[in-house]
Amino acid sequence: MLKSFLFKLKDHRRKQGQRYKLGHILLFTILAILSGADSYRKVQKFIVVHYDRLNEIFDLKWKRMPAYTTIRDIIQSTSGTELEQSFRQYSAVLTEKDERQQFIACDGKVMRGSFDRFQDQKAIQILSAFASDSQIILAHEEIATKTNEIPTAQTLMEELGLAGYTGRK
């Protein structure tokens, strides 16, 4: 099901440069990360090691494996905003099936390594909304530099259609 959402993303590469489908590379990257990959080289190694099974499932018929630089370029050229919207749609479909009362938890985190004193860049903060009963991350939103989690959480709840719900005390 995640595959169908990833394949709806617009591929911003020129047609001549599309030897590998964006949806396949993103899906295989997610699978590699879930398997412990934490670099483009490890993602590429995951694809090489599991190519026979991936080809059997997805009918790839690639003439050669993508290099890690190709994987990097494809991922870096993907719109983060479009990818986030795709994941939000996917999460919404998953939570629609769960008819239990949902408790939404919001938590802000600072992205490690995002602080750059040399370029006077403050650390990037991300707010996540999490449906605790279904254990699904609903969305991520970057927290503006001159604000805190509360206005970002309020905006995020409105975007997710969850405005007006009260918190549990």
Side-chain angles (χ1 to χ4, degrees), residues 122-123 125 142-152:
K122 296 187 178 192
Q125 297 182 35
E142 187 173 338
I143 300 171
T145 56
K146 297 191 179 200
T147 188
N148 60 33
E149 296 174 2
I150 295 171
T152 305

Side-chain angles (χ1 to χ4, degrees), residues 4 36 45 59 64 90 96 99 107 112 116 124 151 164-165:
S4 64
K45 185 175 182 180
D59 194 32
R64 61 177 182 222
Y90 177 64
E96 283 174 2
E99 296 182 9
D107 189 26
R112 187 174 68 183
D116 189 349
I124 297 171
Y165 287 88

